[in-house]
């Protein structure tokens, strides 16, 4: 396995580029690769970010499957409150139409003290109509939509 990454952070701008290659787990003579680019920009109380990812996995001696994934995020902080939204797209598997999925997530957070905060979130995953079965639980049907809601509290000691 070979992994390499470079990062830049100056407070308002963050960028990272990472690449990995490894021997395929099922086809000994082939390699799997992944490339990821992450960027975030913060101005005032707003943060905007994006992720791009390209993966290739050998699935036989003569074929390699690929997928391109993206995510966009935004947060807004008002005093002790922060709001966030994220949209993620798992691209079509090997460019086969409707084999990907999309996810939208909303977040509310509140900082009680420097060390204690609470949060609540909602997310919805929509699968493509062909073969995708992404979700919280296994064996969800193609084209299915799943939603979830969660709350939590964090305290740092």
């Amino acid at each position: 396995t070979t992994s390499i990454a470079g990062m830049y952070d100056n407070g308002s701008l963050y960028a990272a580029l990472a690449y990995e290659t490894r021997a395929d787990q099922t086809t000994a003579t082939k390699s799997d690769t992944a490339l990821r680019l992450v960027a975030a920009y913060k101005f005032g109380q707003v943060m905007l970010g994006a992720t791009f990812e390209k993966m290739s996995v050998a699935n036989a001696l003569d074929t390699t499957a690929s997928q391109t994934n993206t995510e966009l995020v935004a947060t807004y902080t008002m005093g002790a409150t922060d709001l966030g939204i994220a949209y993620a797209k798992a691209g079509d598997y090997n460019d086969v139409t409707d084999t990907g999925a999309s996810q939208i997530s909303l977040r509310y957070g509140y900082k009680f003290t420097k060390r204690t905060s609470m949060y609540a979130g909602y997310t919805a995953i929509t699968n493509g109509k062909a073969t995708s079965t992404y979700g919280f639980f296994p064996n969800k049907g193609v084209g299915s939509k799943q939603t979830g809601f969660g709350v939590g509290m964090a305290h740092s000691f």
Side-chain angles (χ1 to χ4, degrees):
T1 298
T2 301
S3 297
I4 188 167
M7 289 156 269
Y8 174 80
D9 188 354
N10 74 359
S12 62
L13 177 65
Y14 173 84
L17 179 65
Y19 176 79
E20 181 170 291
T21 184
R22 67 174 189 180
D24 184 70
Q25 303 299 302
T26 58
T27 309
T29 59
K30 301 284 271 185
S31 294
D32 302 333
T33 62
L35 175 71
R36 178 178 279 186
L37 173 64
V38 177
Y41 183 68
K42 186 174 182 180
F43 52 99
Q45 291 87 4
V46 176
M47 188 281 298
L48 301 174
T51 299
F52 170 82
E53 176 180 68
K54 175 86 173 163
M55 298 184 299
S56 297
V57 178
N59 54 13
L61 284 174
D62 58 349
T63 60
T64 299
S66 64
Q67 187 176 38
T68 300
N69 306 308
T70 55
E71 181 179 24
L72 300 172
V73 298
T75 61
Y76 180 71
T77 303
M78 304 173 286
T81 299
D82 66 86
L83 304 171
I85 186 168
Y87 174 78
K89 174 77 175 144
D92 289 332
Y93 183 75
N94 236 13
D95 295 324
V96 175
T97 302
D98 282 335
T99 55
S102 61
Q103 178 176 2
I104 186 129
S105 301
L106 304 172
R107 180 187 188 283
Y108 169 82
Y110 186 82
K111 208 174 234 189
F112 294 107
T113 68
K114 194 174 191 178
R115 297 178 6 183
T116 305
S117 61
M118 61 80 59
Y119 57 89
Y122 167 82
T123 194
I125 299 171
T126 304
N127 282 299
K129 292 178 175 59
T131 60
S132 63
T133 56
Y134 294 90
F136 311 120
F137 307 104
N139 303 319
K140 286 296 177 183
V142 296
S144 67
K145 183 174 182 178
Q146 298 177 55
T147 60
F149 178 76
V151 295
M153 182 174 267
H155 180 75
S156 301
F157 291 95

